[in-house]
Amino acid sequence: MISRSLRRLLTLPRLLLLVLLIALGTVLHAAWPFFFYPSITLDFDIPAPRPSAVQDGNLAGVAEVDITPAIGLPKFGYSAWARSANGFRTRLKARAFYLHGAGQPPMALVQLDLGAGSLPLQYAVAERIAATTDVPAHALSLLVTHTHSGPGQYLGSDFYNVFGSQKPGFDPALFEFLAERISQAVIEAYRARRPARFASGQSEVWGLTRNRSLGAWARNHRIPEQQWTEELAHEAVNPRMSQLRIDLMADDGHFYPAGALTLFSIHGTAIPAFTRPYHADVWHWLAQGIEPTVKPLPWRFVHGTVQATHGDNNPAWAAGLRGDREARRIGTALGKQANALFHQLENELRDDLHTAVASRELDLLALDDDQRHGLCERPIIGAAVAGAANGDEVFPISYLPYLQEGWPRTLFTDGCQGVKQWMLSKLQLALAPARYPHRALFQVLRINDLVLVALPWEITLESGNRIREAVDATLPDPDWTVVISSLANGYFGYATTEAEYSAQYYEGGHTLYGPHTVDFLSAQSARLSDDLFRQGNQNQHPGHATFVLRSHRYWPEPPPSRTWSRQWQGKARYMTGDTTHESYWRWRFHGEPAAALPLHQPLLAILDETSGGMLVDDDSGDLQLLLLEDQGEDGALYEVRWYTPPEPGQSGGRALHILAGAAPRLVSPIF
């Protein structure tokens, strides 16, 4: 309810003035990067990969590489409400899965703890791995978690490099870092290939997600408003958890669990806006959830976790408790479900592997009319996007007329964008269509009876149902599992149904290409699937491309080359948690500048000083590093936190180690 004093404050003239000031600020914020930032040109000409060796059986390999970038970068997902990273709570990962059936095209599926895919990043990785692996560009798929606590500035369009984060511009240094690290993951998975067994299946998970835009979803089924209950919000979700299990043959001739790729529909938003550390969100805890029964394994187990159709499906955090505790609770519960499914698949493992790949890149600005299926000729962002999604509202922006959800246009609705209120009205036409995302990579990948449809849109629940039904209708028999993965290889905003679009909630306002986007995606996905199963593998990946992007470097310049020193600042302190934050031990130390601290390398560990054994490391999600003050060439002040530790007084000869890097190892007093 809006108070009486607030109603007096928000009189019509003041409202109009506030909206005008916001519009003016938005215009200035939108325009200056396009005028003043330099352009960078990315040219790709992907060579043919190395020939595949002749093989009798089926091979697979898995690998995990850390992709946590430098301190100080803008973060993607919450746009203006994001904050630059000051460290990490959990690390960000790339997890690669190499699959090669005998006589079939090899493929690599890569899970990334990033907010979205990127077409130039897909090209860059394909180019880098060509000389070392046999994976062709069209059979490389970059799949993501959609965490909102990862970096931005690596995407394939000026529009999202400017507006996806709180700071604008494509960062070439970040892009090179990501391309190199992700390529390393694929190469390591390729080199680790061995004879393999496979199984895939699904289970249902309820109670951990809810539909955040229930009013828009309800229009699909004409459900009256009086039935929009919290119970219905928990039912209007995609409960399917899909999983591919991979076991590899060890040197002793026996097969052991090696990896799993799990897909589920949940936004990476349990960690809210305005938080600073990098964080994989619920996906970190989900990825940690599988516990193979065989221990020790001959290799490190790799569990990749990626989006399915999450567009309107949020984590079901407890009211008022959103944050680290709820991210752990929800992610851990999902991990238990993934673990149960993994063990159910043990009895279904089989030696045979049948794979097929279809990839087709389309330029949405150059399609013939018979390929558009109602898709608008140019993209337009809606005013409802400024109002933010349900659960992410910011006062007063999210509550203003025109910006608030549920304000569809009622006049002049006969254009292609229909009822969408245009952000900045016709001024938006000043931004050329080519500045928006327009080159989309569609992929359909078959792995035995699993059919993975990888699309660069955020797909809502009902949109996913319709795309899945369209693809399923092209398959030769009914025994297939079709799974849609959102945000793969690029980012195009949302895909809502026509009914959802008509409500103009956040998702509808963020459906760039108009109310028939799902008609287009369904038709193009079905066409690609039909071509794959009727004609065989489809390679319509150009292999060469040029991207011209407005750029700005945020990656810190390296400090002078020298050996830095570290010193403790005070004693360890135990901090009691509250309803949203967990208890932790806290240390502070002075050390090298932030630019000299490589977050993608091991940095922190708690050791038992008696046995020398590792108690916890910074892969666990329990050790956090935060920059408190960057003092330039004088170094920096940091804080380390150990979450969910033993209570004070339960000393076990433990010590915190800050591992050697640009400065020598620093060991705390025993606590």
Side-chain angles (χ1 to χ4, degrees), residues 262-608:
T262 300
L263 297 97
F264 189 67
S265 302
I266 183 171
H267 247 95
T269 52
I271 302 301
F274 302 105
T275 56
R276 297 195 62 192
Y278 294 123
H279 202 312
D281 212 278
V282 298
W283 300 95
H284 171 83
W285 313 112
L286 171 53
Q288 287 195 329
I290 293 181
E291 298 181 359
T293 53
V294 178
K295 295 181 180 179
L297 290 171
W299 36 65
R300 180 172 181 168
F301 186 84
V302 176
H303 182 201
T305 55
V306 300
Q307 279 294 358
T309 54
H310 71 288
D312 49 0
N313 286 191
N314 258 10
W317 57 73
L321 301 183
R322 183 182 184 184
D324 285 332
R325 279 189 183 275
E326 284 295 273
R328 184 193 289 263
R329 178 186 68 82
I330 295 168
T332 300
L334 288 171
K336 290 180 180 178
Q337 297 290 331
N339 188 52
L341 178 56
F342 181 82
H343 290 293
Q344 290 171 16
L345 293 175
E346 185 165 5
N347 295 329
E348 299 180 30
L349 288 162
R350 63 196 208 195
D351 296 325
D352 59 318
L353 176 63
H354 300 286
T355 61
V357 181
S359 290
R360 178 174 291 144
E361 186 177 313
L362 298 176
D363 187 339
L364 274 56
L365 301 180
L367 294 174
D368 295 333
D369 288 344
D370 62 349
Q371 292 182 292
R372 305 197 71 85
H373 303 279
L375 196 74
C376 293
E377 292 186 355
R378 69 154 291 151
I380 291 292
I381 193 72
V385 175
N390 275 314
D392 293 320
E393 297 90 349
V394 175
F395 182 84
I397 304 296
S398 301
Y399 303 95
L400 295 175
Y402 175 74
L403 303 180
Q404 188 178 25
E405 71 174 27
W407 281 71
R409 179 183 293 195
T410 56
L411 298 174
F412 308 110
T413 61
D414 54 345
C416 184
Q417 294 284 345
V419 299
K420 180 186 290 178
Q421 299 276 13
W422 293 22
M423 175 63 75
L424 302 179
S425 190
K426 297 296 184 181
L427 286 175
Q428 195 172 157
L429 295 175
L431 188 60
R435 299 288 193 181
Y436 295 82
H438 59 95
R439 283 183 283 184
L441 182 62
F442 289 72
Q443 289 182 319
V444 176
L445 306 105
R446 178 202 173 180
I447 307 165
N448 288 335
D449 56 0
L450 175 66
V451 177
L452 176 62
V453 182
L455 299 171
W457 275 263
E458 296 196 57
I459 312 293
T460 63
L461 165 65
E462 185 60 29
S463 299
N465 291 340
R466 296 183 187 186
I467 297 169
R468 184 168 49 250
E469 290 171 2
V471 170
D472 194 63
T474 69
L475 302 179
D477 61 59
D479 297 324
W480 300 93
T481 300
V482 179
V483 182
I484 315 297
S485 186
S486 296
L487 299 166
N489 306 305
Y491 188 58
F492 274 72
Y494 281 73
T496 57
T497 67
E498 189 174 2
E500 292 165 351
Y501 185 93
S502 70
Q504 280 301 289
Y505 280 35
Y506 173 83
E507 296 82 7
H510 204 168
T511 299
L512 296 179
Y513 282 87
H516 296 289
T517 298
V518 172
D519 298 333
F520 169 75
L521 295 180
S522 297
Q524 293 292 350
S525 299
R527 176 185 167 213
L528 188 59
S529 175
D530 189 61
D531 289 347
L532 175 65
F533 282 89
R534 288 180 181 272
Q535 304 171 23
N537 295 289
Q538 302 287 310
N539 180 5
Q540 295 177 34
H541 187 295
H544 54 85
T546 298
F547 299 85
V548 181
L549 300 167
R550 295 288 180 172
S551 68
H552 185 86
R553 180 178 176 127
Y554 295 99
W555 193 280
E557 297 289 347
S561 180
R562 53 170 279 197
T563 300
W564 302 85
S565 62
R566 293 171 175 162
Q567 303 87 31
W568 294 111
Q569 305 289 302
K571 297 181 180 180
R573 293 183 59 187
Y574 184 82
M575 313 297 289
T576 302
D578 54 29
T579 55
T580 58
H581 298 91
E582 301 158 316
S583 299
Y584 59 89
W585 279 98
R586 188 196 78 183
W587 297 260
R588 290 182 176 176
F589 73 96
H590 187 275
E592 59 267 55
L597 203 61
L599 297 196
H600 63 284
Q601 297 178 7
L603 292 172
L604 312 172
I606 305 287
L607 300 184
D608 184 320

Side-chain angles (χ1 to χ4, degrees), residues 4 57 100 115 121 155 166 332 396 476 531 593:
R4 184 176 301 174
H100 190 188
L121 190 59
L155 301 172
Q166 83 277 16
T332 300
D531 289 347

Side-chain angles (χ1 to χ4, degrees), residues 50-56 59 100 134 190 193:
R50 65 183 301 172
S52 297
V54 177
Q55 63 189 59
D56 294 329
L59 303 176
H100 190 188
D134 58 2
Y190 170 78
R193 66 196 187 281

Side-chain angles (χ1 to χ4, degrees), residues 110-162:
V110 190
Q111 177 253 298
L112 304 173
D113 283 328
L114 293 175
S118 163
L119 189 57
L121 190 59
Q122 199 269 353
Y123 273 82
V125 174
E127 190 174 65
R128 282 166 169 78
I129 67 174
T132 311
T133 78
D134 58 2
V135 179
H138 77 286
L140 169 69
S141 192
L142 304 185
L143 312 171
V144 302
T145 59
H146 193 44
T147 175
H148 282 44
S149 297
Q153 327 317 128
Y154 62 90
L155 301 172
S157 71
D158 280 334
F159 183 80
Y160 284 116
N161 284 324
V162 170

Side-chain angles (χ1 to χ4, degrees), residues 149-232:
S149 297
Q153 327 317 128
Y154 62 90
L155 301 172
S157 71
D158 280 334
F159 183 80
Y160 284 116
N161 284 324
V162 170
F163 299 112
S165 306
Q166 83 277 16
K167 294 182 179 180
F170 174 86
D171 188 335
L174 169 65
F175 183 82
E176 288 298 313
F177 169 81
L178 291 174
E180 287 294 331
R181 299 296 294 172
I182 297 166
S183 299
Q184 181 181 336
V186 178
I187 291 168
E188 288 184 8
Y190 170 78
R191 290 174 174 166
R193 66 196 187 281
R194 290 169 172 267
R197 290 177 175 169
F198 310 89
S200 64
Q202 288 186 321
S203 62
E204 290 193 351
V205 180
W206 297 95
L208 298 175
T209 53
R210 62 181 300 279
N211 195 301
R212 71 183 189 187
S213 294
L214 190 62
W217 171 84
R219 292 195 175 201
N220 294 301
H221 310 284
R222 299 182 180 179
I223 298 174
E225 186 172 356
Q226 58 268 28
Q227 296 180 24
W228 300 356
T229 63
E230 187 61 21
E231 181 181 5
L232 183 61

